[in-house]
Amino acid sequence: MKQHRAEDALRPMSRRLRTLGVVNIGDLQAFLNLVKVKHGITRRESIVSAVHAAKHATMLLDGLACMSTRLQDGCRQIYTFHYPGDFVALHRYVFPQSTEHIEVEALTNCSIGTIDNEVLEQTVRHHPALGLALWRAAMIEASIFRQRMVTMRRPALQRVAHLLSEQLVRRIALGFANNVIPVNQIEVADAAGLSTVHTNRIFQGLRKLGVLSANRHAVEVINKKRLMELGSFDRRYLNFRETLSQWDIRIEG
Amino acid sequence: MKQHRAEDALRPMSRRLRTLGVVNIGDLQAFLNLVKVKHGITRRESIVSAVHAAKHATMLLDGLACMSTRLQDGCRQIYTFHYPGDFVALHRYVFPQSTEHIEVEALTNCSIGTIDNEVLEQTVRHHPALGLALWRAAMIEASIFRQRMVTMRRPALQRVAHLLSEQLVRRIALGFANNVIPVNQIEVADAAGLSTVHTNRIFQGLRKLGVLSANRHAVEVINKKRLMELGSFDRRYLNFRETLSQWDIRIEG
DNA sequence: CGTGCTGTTGAGGACGATCAATGACGGTGG
DNA sequence: CCACCGTCATTGATCGTCCTCAACAGCACG
């Protein structure tokens, strides 16, 4: 019963680990057995502090979160968004002593999973494929950061288009059927490095171009192709195709 | 003789691995024994293509290099600079199939070291501390990317000041005694995401502020403290202090 | 029915890009 | 030794993007 529900909750991790190259069922199961599930994280709540992150590896099981930091002037820089199956705050796993001020914040109600750091270390030692998978997850994140540096040099419309393209592609890869990205304009602005006012004008532009729906209270993509063209989106930096094709993982939904 | 020279060349790797947590001499030696040294890389030369990167892990032993990419419009985005002891193109180690267009380019004459991927994998399996060290190196790089995203939101003067602060701190940590950063304005512009024209005006500003020397053909910092203040530089993101103090590594020079 | 959060609109101004040209320096070949 | 060339640094002027400030509208919530 409880066990049964936990397995459902862990499905995103199972899928993610397989796309990261964990092909051996024993490796996979060894990992899944360690995860403690925690439901009921609410919007705005801090995920890393909520689980005393320095002692645990943390992963997002359900909902939407973001890795961000508060700047001196009070504004928030969102580094990346996190979807179910993402490991969050991996930097704290390899640098437990780190004093970086990085927050992971729930943007919707979330469920998370945690694994005690020491237990995970032991397990990784016996299942090297797991260590490599974690490393790969971190490297994909780094690719996202690099890509963002490139994108930030482009004008605002293309920048936002690229950002939304990335979210859409990542969501589709996880099997989300609809084209609604559950973020608001403030969050897009903080991620794109734009003011909310200008971001709003960009959204109006994207709506006039028929890329986003007229729905004012949702980010709903109605012309995916055009969006990606505008953003010059090239998914290669996400390192999806390789892992997906190599292990023949189905993309459901 | 040849062995002797190779050991000199590998000193940066020895130091770096220790700061990354490789405390066991056996682990360290196992790694160093695998490195093939290659001297004579010349400025402008591509380092990753020069060594057929997909089959080798590569590290910089001497000189200055940068990880960069060419944008559609022809301009170059420099993601980060590489100093002796840095692993370059680590992403190609965990994603050998990756089709990302990332270049590593020599900015001065360089020496590099390479290790065959398969050989390295075998060795890492027997020396997990090495795997963790590689992962940590990659995570520090990711921190640098994140920090750059923050910095890119600040005005040009502070942005350049932060960028130069980082280079200075990294160089000092490696024992470079002087305060000259061997880059030109074009490279700073490409890394900061500014035009060369504006970068030049920023340099003039930094000179007037007494932060950089009047020497027009070198980036020479003459007021380190002021530079870091201007850039609001906080070295914590480099994860130096922890690793350095934890294992008590001396900073020479 | 107020209060807070998000989205929207307008006006003014600053920062940085772009274009174009010139200067300074080192290396090369005649 | 000088003429030439390529690279890098510098300067001026113009223009566009985006920020800031300020106000208001819509909606959900208690």
Side-chain angles (χ1 to χ4, degrees):
Chain A
M1 37 233 109
K2 171 139 195 205
Q3 184 64 17
H4 209 73
R5 278 160 56 201
E7 268 181 23
D8 278 358
L10 291 180
R11 196 166 302 165
M13 298 319 301
S14 172
R15 175 201 292 247
R16 174 61 50 94
L17 285 170
R18 277 181 287 139
T19 68
L20 291 170
V22 180
V23 287
N24 180 305
I25 292 291
D27 292 340
L28 185 63
Q29 203 57 49
F31 182 94
L32 296 178
N33 286 341
L34 304 177
V35 181
K36 290 177 195 152
V37 178
K38 176 171 179 176
H39 296 286
I41 310 276
T42 61
R43 173 167 164 86
R44 304 277 156 109
E45 197 172 328
S46 171
I47 287 180
V48 294
S49 84
V51 296
H52 206 31
K55 301 211 174 256
H56 300 79
T58 310
M59 57 217 81
L60 188 63
L61 299 179
D62 191 42
L64 176 67
C66 71
M67 172 168 26
S68 65
T69 201
R70 288 277 161 194
L71 309 186
Q72 314 79 323
D73 58 14
C75 82
R76 172 179 64 172
Q77 173 67 48
I78 292 181
Y79 295 121
T80 188
F81 295 100
H82 283 306
Y83 296 98
D86 284 350
F87 297 92
V88 305
L90 267 180
H91 58 103
R92 305 202 91 183
Y93 178 66
V94 291
F95 289 115
Q97 317 282 346
S98 176
T99 53
E100 282 187 88
H101 287 316
I102 296 180
E103 303 166 24
V104 178
E105 179 185 344
L107 296 180
T108 68
N109 295 341
C110 289
S111 301
I112 62 174
T114 61
I115 300 181
D116 182 85
N117 262 1
E118 280 189 33
V119 173
L120 182 54
E121 267 172 48
Q122 296 290 336
T123 308
V124 164
R125 199 156 303 164
H126 295 97
H127 302 270
L130 292 177
L132 186 56
L134 291 172
W135 188 2
R136 281 185 173 144
M139 290 305 260
I140 289 177
E141 205 172 85
S143 280
I144 291 174
F145 299 152
R146 271 197 304 269
Q147 184 60 46
R148 189 88 81 248
M149 288 174 58
V150 170
T151 308
M152 302 240 293
R153 299 187 67 161
R154 298 210 284 248
L157 185 95
Q158 292 162 263
R159 203 188 306 188
V160 171
H162 191 284
L163 184 67
L164 296 181
S165 295
E166 181 194 297
Q167 309 319 312
L168 202 58
V169 165
R170 289 172 64 188
R171 292 177 64 80
I172 290 171
L174 294 175
F176 289 101
N178 65 31
N179 289 331
V180 175
I181 305 170
V183 295
N184 63 32
Q185 293 182 10
I186 296 173
E187 285 147 6
V188 170
D190 288 347
L194 295 168
S195 68
T196 59
V197 171
H198 200 61
T199 302
N200 176 262
R201 292 186 169 119
I202 298 302
F203 268 71
Q204 291 173 47
L206 288 171
R207 290 194 190 114
K208 282 205 189 72
L209 288 169
V211 171
L212 296 184
S213 82
N215 183 344
R216 284 173 155 61
H217 293 280
V219 180
E220 181 181 7
V221 179
I222 54 179
N223 190 337
K224 200 187 312 178
K225 183 160 172 291
R226 188 93 187 84
L227 179 71
M228 301 211 183
E229 285 169 5
L230 282 170
S232 307
F233 187 79
D234 177 347
R235 66 151 66 198
R236 277 178 291 186
Y237 73 96
L238 291 172
N239 285 288
F240 272 177
R241 189 172 33 186
E242 298 75 41
T243 49
L244 287 174
S245 67
Q246 195 169 338
W247 286 284
D248 194 29
I249 301 298
R250 253 193 329 264
I251 297 182
E252 305 162 16
Chain B
M1 37 228 107
K2 171 137 194 206
Q3 184 63 17
H4 210 72
R5 277 160 57 201
E7 269 182 22
D8 278 359
L10 291 180
R11 197 167 300 165
M13 298 319 302
S14 174
R15 172 200 294 246
R16 174 61 49 92
L17 286 170
R18 277 181 287 140
T19 68
L20 292 171
V22 179
V23 287
N24 180 304
I25 293 290
D27 292 341
L28 185 63
Q29 204 57 50
F31 181 93
L32 297 178
N33 286 342
L34 304 177
V35 181
K36 291 177 193 153
V37 178
K38 177 171 181 178
H39 297 286
I41 311 277
T42 61
R43 174 168 163 84
R44 304 278 157 107
E45 198 172 326
S46 170
I47 287 180
V48 294
S49 85
V51 297
H52 206 31
K55 302 213 176 252
H56 299 80
T58 311
M59 58 217 80
L60 189 62
L61 300 179
D62 191 43
L64 175 68
C66 71
M67 174 170 21
S68 66
T69 202
R70 288 277 161 193
L71 309 185
Q72 313 79 321
D73 58 13
C75 80
R76 171 180 62 173
Q77 174 66 49
I78 293 181
Y79 295 121
T80 188
F81 295 99
H82 283 305
Y83 297 98
D86 284 350
F87 297 93
V88 305
L90 267 181
H91 59 103
R92 303 203 92 181
Y93 177 65
V94 291
F95 289 115
Q97 317 282 345
S98 175
T99 52
E100 282 186 88
H101 288 314
I102 296 180
E103 302 165 24
V104 178
E105 180 185 344
L107 296 180
T108 67
N109 294 342
C110 289
S111 300
I112 62 174
T114 60
I115 301 182
D116 182 85
N117 262 1
E118 280 189 32
V119 174
L120 182 54
E121 267 171 49
Q122 296 290 336
T123 308
V124 165
R125 200 155 301 166
H126 295 96
H127 302 269
L130 291 177
L132 186 55
L134 291 171
W135 189 0
R136 282 184 171 143
M139 290 305 261
I140 290 177
E141 206 173 84
S143 280
I144 291 174
F145 299 151
R146 272 196 305 268
Q147 183 61 47
R148 189 85 83 249
M149 288 174 59
V150 171
T151 309
M152 302 241 292
R153 298 186 69 160
R154 299 210 285 249
L157 186 97
Q158 293 161 262
R159 203 188 306 187
V160 171
H162 190 284
L163 184 67
L164 296 181
S165 296
E166 180 193 297
Q167 308 318 312
L168 203 58
V169 165
R170 289 172 64 188
R171 292 177 64 81
I172 290 171
L174 294 175
F176 289 100
N178 65 31
N179 289 331
V180 175
I181 305 171
V183 295
N184 62 32
Q185 294 182 9
I186 296 173
E187 286 147 7
V188 171
D190 287 347
L194 295 167
S195 69
T196 59
V197 172
H198 199 61
T199 301
N200 176 263
R201 292 185 169 119
I202 297 302
F203 268 71
Q204 292 173 49
L206 288 171
R207 290 194 190 114
K208 281 204 189 73
L209 289 169
V211 171
L212 295 183
S213 83
N215 183 343
R216 284 173 155 63
H217 293 281
V219 180
E220 181 182 6
V221 179
I222 55 178
N223 189 337
K224 202 187 311 179
K225 182 159 171 291
R226 188 91 187 86
L227 179 71
M228 301 211 184
E229 285 169 7
L230 282 170
S232 307
F233 186 79
D234 177 348
R235 65 150 71 200
R236 277 179 291 186
Y237 73 96
L238 291 172
N239 285 288
F240 273 177
R241 190 174 31 190
E242 298 75 39
T243 47
L244 288 174
S245 66
Q246 195 170 340
W247 287 284
D248 193 31
I249 301 297
R250 253 193 331 263
I251 297 184
E252 306 161 14

